[in-house]
Amino acid sequence: MKFKLIAAVITLVLTTSGCSQNMAEPLEAEALKDKSLTQLTLNQLGDTLDIKYRLISNYPDGCPTSGVDGRCFSAQIDLTSAIDIESKDWAIYFSQMRPVKSVSGEEFTITRVKGDLHKIEPTDSFKGLKKGFTKTIDFRGELWQLSETDAMPNYYLVSGELTPVVIKSTQVTKDAETGMELRPYNAAFTDADTQYRRSDTDKVQWATPEVLFLANQGVATQPESAVNTIIPTPLSVEVTSTDRPVSFAQGIKFNLNSIDAGSITAALDRLARIGVVHNEKGIEVSFEKLAGEQISGSYRLNIEEDSIEISAGDDAGFSYAIASLTSLIDTKYLSVNTMSIVDEPRYGFRGMHIDVSRNFHSKQLILDLLDQMAAYKLNKLHLHMADDEGWRLEIDGLPELTDVGSKRCHDLTESSCLLPQLGSGPSAESSVNGYYSKADYIEILKYASARQIQVIPSMDMPGHSRAAIKSMDARYNKYMALGNEHAAKEYLLADFDDKTVYSSVQYYDDNTLNVCMESTFHFVSKVIDEIAKLHAEAGQPLSIYHIGADETAGAWLESPICKAFLADNNRGIESGDELGAYFIERVSNILSSRGIKPAGWSDGMSHTRHENMPAQSQSNVWDVISHGGYKRAHEQVNLGWDAILGMPEMLYFDFPYEADPKEHGYYWASRNTNERKLYGFMPDNLPANAEQWTDIQGQAFEADDTVQLDENGVRVSGPIKKGMGFTGIQGQLWSETLRSDAVVEYMTFPRLLILAEKAWHRADWEVPYRYEGAVYNQDSGFFTQEMRARQLKQWSLIANTLGHKELSKLDRAGIEYRIPTVGARIDEGKLFTNLIYPGLAIEYRIDGGQWQIYSSPVTVEGAVEVRAVAADGNRRGRPLLVR
């Protein structure tokens, strides 16, 4: 033992004096044979332990191949040590999206700690790790894994009271050319049949270059078609001349008349970004305020050879007219044709949702997002700031929400932070932690107001509330220790004697507010009032607040407080099944009493009793069309609520663009939501989309929109009532797998531009809604061949506008949009390529050689890779191998 102590000291001296690690290793290896580890040895292990994660199959022996029940996947974790380890006094914590069901072998166990946090521990049978040798942990998990991004990063080592250490081999890296995250610890998928199929009936094709090449057919490269095209498409455009373009090379001169310059400053800044600045010698632009009632955001834009006139009824209209002018201007030539535009929006609510709670994202990202939303005429930012994994807004009087709830770290007591989740690692200093101060939030609000965008705050409740619950638990413990029981219980959200066993979709058993406690409603009211104060200070009154109200997992049933509440029955609640609705109804009325419209996700809102809800309520519909989601959407429209469409299979931007395991994102409703699919969405006729889409497994489905009755003759579903319809549309971005701002931009852009197109413009190829009801499938024929041809023609215009004009403007704004993967095939020895939107350069290389520009079909031989280039030439897309 004395020798070991001397060896450890010598190792410490050698290491700190700059001597090589190799010199220290033999002595350190001797120290590692002890029963416990030192901080030094734990650090060394974290630096050198090589971990590899590998999905083996979604069809292991002994698991069903169809359906959901009993399904499992098999995977492996390799541990390769650079040093000998005999100690059993350590554990590896890591995030595993699907819970581990079983482990093979006798040397290790894997247990789930909470949510997705798991722990690997050596057993009594552990025989040690030998330098240079690999030990493999075979395990099975629930359901399936279809993406390489499922393997979360930042495994970390824990031993006793030592400081936890991240295992370096499990950290993400950044690709120098694409800017995207790489996971060197995760083995690439190689087998489409066993690794990229969800079940034995799965027909989704891996988006190889050959598959993409076929999908991209029908869209020719037509740069001239982008010249007079605006995204989003105006109501009407009359081009009056193409041979005398109006040049902006000398800049632009403004005649504002009575228009407030501050209301259009942001729009003018975007114009300046592409090279058109104020100049007394520039072409004159005059503004005219239209009298009488106008649709908000509508405008008229008249471009003549020597002047431009803009007419609108409000600030939004003037800003949108400038946005259209900016869209028309080619960044290379700074000119436009003469034309006259009359425009107005399709929907009054044109929104984008971003989740900053699962993984925090910077204030600058939000400001950049707001800027681009305004550029494309979106007007609602749904800011999701509280969920299970984080609380992201400073609330006056409740510092614990951010002191504890805004960060995740390795504190198993959760007195200083939440448990690590989603690969966040053990440190509170991680970039996925953080919050907006009151000043930050006010800045966001003011920035949004200057761009005619309303911010809708969302703190999810009563489910998805673990961050709030644990923060208030910490507050309770703090004040109880001070002997102040009243303060301790004032905002308490949990009944400590509640023995209910439940599991949320994210595998939490403690994430739901106790809705039977008055302190819960005191907390909710406090949060609402403090957020309202911030809005008032920013000059954007709080008029919509999103409760969340979704995915409540069956809590409260064994809560003594709830049992007493139900026994008292002074609120007309008969059973525990009604408690979720009671919470939503009560909070909705709290909001309504303050002049604030309540909003919630459609599943929670559907549980409420309509007569108990405020007449002015908003439901955000997130139901999957192929699973009958149009039925709930129609039901909530018919209640007279503002129904906002957010259908996951095309409006969830955290889903993959293409069906490729290397693409980022979750995939529970869609594995391929690219820009073309989003453009094809028919939002005013949800069931009609069954004529052009397949479900999550690539199979055709039917949507029956006729009146359906139950056995008692009561209507359970049916068409929308005549004269009623959807209020708006919203894109959703959830951040469970999106840890960096760069990945958020990759997932959001350029899809946001097509979202804006659907929100602003009603295409003439969309199938009209049939209020009498109809049954839609791939043979029903409502979506005629003539409509399909018009859809393809108009998509070709949009696609060329993206590739030849709009993406270069995103480059100038510093937006790291996704560069599309290239469609390609080799026919008779020649390489042919295409892109989902033409206009970007394509490169190819052979046998790992130098990349070359692709300009026309070229003879190739060997292993051929293809990739696209950003509009400004500075970034590259992900390369694909043409087989």
Side-chain angles (χ1 to χ4, degrees), residues 75-286:
Q76 294 176 337
I77 297 175
D78 291 343
L79 306 178
T80 306
S81 180
I83 47 181
D84 291 342
I85 303 172
E86 294 184 5
S87 171
K88 300 173 185 176
D89 185 25
W90 54 273
I92 296 174
Y93 285 78
F94 71 109
S95 286
Q96 177 71 28
M97 189 181 79
R98 300 293 192 190
V100 172
K101 296 177 68 171
S102 62
V103 180
S104 299
E106 299 179 349
E107 291 193 81
F108 298 97
T109 61
I110 301 179
T111 54
R112 189 170 64 84
V113 180
K114 185 75 66 175
D116 72 11
L117 185 64
H118 288 67
K119 177 171 62 170
I120 298 171
E121 289 182 291
T123 69
D124 290 340
S125 301
F126 177 62
K127 299 179 178 63
L129 295 177
K130 302 300 181 185
K131 179 180 178 179
F133 286 84
T134 298
K135 287 207 171 179
T136 299
I137 305 171
D138 289 278
F139 70 93
R140 292 189 178 190
E142 290 184 7
L143 299 177
W144 44 76
Q145 290 194 339
L146 303 175
S147 172
E148 292 175 18
T149 64
D150 288 348
M152 296 287 185
N154 296 320
Y155 290 43
Y156 64 94
L157 286 158
V158 170
S159 181
E161 299 300 315
L162 301 180
T163 301
V165 176
V166 173
I167 299 173
K168 286 188 176 180
S169 65
T170 65
Q171 294 178 312
V172 296
T173 60
K174 187 174 182 178
D175 186 283
E177 292 189 315
T178 67
M180 292 310 297
E181 285 185 356
L182 298 176
R183 292 166 175 74
Y185 56 88
N186 188 30
F189 285 19
T190 57
D191 191 323
D193 287 332
T194 63
Q195 293 178 308
Y196 199 60
R197 291 176 67 224
R198 186 172 180 260
S199 75
D200 55 4
T201 55
D202 192 343
K203 296 181 179 180
V204 174
Q205 287 186 292
W206 190 324
T208 62
E210 295 80 5
V211 169
L212 291 172
F213 188 85
L214 290 175
N216 294 339
Q217 295 295 304
V219 181
T221 300
Q222 299 173 319
E224 67 281 358
S225 69
V227 173
N228 299 318
T229 303
I230 297 170
I231 297 176
T233 302
L235 185 65
S236 71
V237 178
E238 181 185 358
V239 178
T240 55
S241 172
T242 59
D243 57 354
R244 296 186 299 277
V246 178
S247 174
F248 291 88
Q250 293 297 312
I252 200 164
K253 177 184 177 182
F254 300 104
N255 180 5
L256 294 175
N257 294 319
S258 60
I259 304 305
D260 176 17
S263 66
I264 59 171
T265 298
L268 297 179
D269 287 344
R270 291 192 297 273
L271 196 56
R273 187 185 293 140
I274 65 170
V276 180
V277 297
H278 176 74
N279 187 343
E280 289 297 321
K281 295 181 180 180
I283 188 168
E284 183 172 307
V285 178
S286 60

Side-chain angles (χ1 to χ4, degrees), residues 432-444:
V432 302
N433 296 323
Y435 66 92
Y436 305 125
S437 68
K438 292 182 292 182
D440 289 335
Y441 189 63
I442 289 170
E443 182 181 348
I444 288 169

Side-chain angles (χ1 to χ4, degrees), residues 498-527:
D498 186 355
K499 304 302 181 185
T500 308
V501 177
Y502 67 92
S503 177
S504 73
V505 175
Q506 290 77 22
Y507 308 104
Y508 295 112
D509 58 2
D510 55 357
N511 77 332
T512 307
L513 308 181
N514 191 301
V515 302
C516 307
M517 298 166 60
E518 282 304 303
S519 54
T520 291
F521 295 96
H522 187 40
F523 171 84
V524 172
S525 296
K526 169 71 172 175
V527 168

Side-chain angles (χ1 to χ4, degrees), residues 31 52 72 85 96 126 302 324 362 461 482 521 552 620 832:
K52 288 290 186 291
C72 70
I85 303 172
Q96 177 71 28
F126 177 62
N302 189 40
S324 290
S362 71
M461 302 172 188
L482 296 173
F521 295 96
T552 302
N620 289 78
F832 296 82

Side-chain angles (χ1 to χ4, degrees), residues 719-876:
I720 298 172
K721 296 175 184 177
K722 201 156 191 176
M724 306 190 84
F726 300 109
T727 307
I729 186 172
Q730 178 176 278
Q732 271 74 232
L733 186 131
W734 301 97
S735 69
E736 289 98 331
T737 64
L738 315 182
R739 279 173 293 279
S740 70
D741 289 359
V743 176
V744 168
E745 289 189 345
Y746 177 99
M747 300 300 284
T748 305
F749 297 95
R751 286 192 279 206
L752 181 135
L753 279 66
I754 309 304
L755 167 68
E757 173 71 18
K758 303 311 300 181
W760 186 269
H761 179 70
R762 179 181 284 104
D764 63 5
W765 49 261
E766 294 184 26
V767 176
Y769 187 70
R770 301 174 69 87
Y771 292 96
E772 69 276 18
V775 178
Y776 300 87
N777 54 49
Q778 304 223 343
D779 298 316
S780 51
F782 295 107
F783 190 31
T784 65
Q785 291 303 315
E786 191 271 336
M787 289 174 172
R788 293 170 189 263
R790 290 206 305 270
Q791 182 194 66
L792 177 58
K793 181 179 180 180
Q794 291 174 32
W795 163 248
S796 183
L797 286 176
I798 296 291
N800 275 279
T801 303
L802 276 175
H804 287 105
K805 196 164 63 175
E806 290 303 313
L807 294 184
S808 66
K809 295 170 185 174
L810 293 180
D811 282 327
R812 288 178 180 238
I815 301 296
E816 297 184 15
Y817 56 86
R818 178 182 184 265
I819 301 167
T821 41
V822 178
R825 66 180 174 90
I826 297 174
D827 188 9
E828 296 183 352
K830 282 192 172 183
L831 174 67
F832 296 82
T833 72
N834 61 18
L835 285 171
I836 187 172
Y837 33 84
L840 301 183
I842 294 174
E843 297 178 337
Y844 74 99
R845 71 176 177 182
I846 300 172
D847 293 333
Q850 293 294 314
W851 287 101
Q852 305 174 64
I853 293 292
Y854 176 92
S855 56
S856 61
V858 59
T859 300
V860 294
E861 185 176 348
V864 179
E865 293 174 275
V866 290
R867 69 182 184 184
V869 183
D872 66 358
N874 291 330
R875 292 187 301 125
R876 266 63 183 167

Side-chain angles (χ1 to χ4, degrees), residues 533-735:
K533 289 177 186 177
L534 298 177
H535 277 254
E537 186 174 345
Q540 187 184 109
L542 180 61
S543 59
I544 305 177
Y545 179 90
H546 201 282
I547 303 168
D550 64 318
E551 295 185 334
T552 302
W556 320 306
L557 299 180
E558 299 302 323
S559 163
I561 293 176
C562 281
K563 288 182 177 180
F565 177 88
L566 292 171
D568 185 44
N569 197 25
N570 62 353
R571 294 185 181 271
I573 307 299
E574 300 293 337
S575 74
D577 295 337
E578 300 175 45
L579 289 173
Y582 160 72
F583 175 86
I584 299 167
E585 292 164 6
R586 185 170 171 184
V587 173
S588 294
N589 283 289
I590 289 172
L591 288 163
S592 184
S593 69
R594 288 160 165 78
I596 304 168
K597 181 191 294 183
W601 298 109
S602 51
D603 57 336
M605 296 294 279
S606 70
H607 298 151
T608 63
R609 293 156 293 194
H610 181 240
E611 64 275 13
N612 292 346
M613 290 289 290
Q616 296 296 312
S617 296
Q618 177 179 302
S619 176
N620 289 78
V621 183
W622 67 285
D623 301 85
V624 180
I625 293 174
S626 61
H627 295 170
Y630 57 91
K631 296 178 181 179
R632 182 178 282 162
H634 294 175
E635 170 195 286
Q636 299 194 357
V637 166
N638 288 337
L639 290 174
W641 290 344
D642 290 336
I644 310 301
L645 294 173
M647 320 309 282
E649 57 262 62
M650 82 298 299
L651 292 172
Y652 271 41
F653 292 175
D654 53 298
F655 286 177
Y657 280 87
E658 303 290 357
D660 185 325
K662 289 193 182 299
E663 290 287 342
H664 285 268
Y666 275 176
Y667 44 77
W668 53 265
S670 172
R671 288 148 68 189
N672 51 344
T673 305
N674 62 29
E675 300 87 335
R676 187 170 181 173
K677 179 181 178 181
L678 176 55
Y679 179 75
F681 179 38
M682 294 184 277
D684 286 336
N685 192 341
L686 299 179
N689 290 287
E691 293 209 12
Q692 60 174 338
W693 288 344
T694 56
D695 66 11
I696 179 65
Q697 295 201 133
Q699 298 185 15
F701 64 93
E702 184 170 272
D704 187 345
D705 193 33
T706 60
V707 173
Q708 304 293 310
L709 307 177
D710 65 14
E711 62 274 13
N712 298 317
V714 177
R715 173 175 162 143
V716 293
S717 68
I720 298 172
K721 296 175 184 177
K722 201 156 191 176
M724 306 190 84
F726 300 109
T727 307
I729 186 172
Q730 178 176 278
Q732 271 74 232
L733 186 131
W734 301 97
S735 69

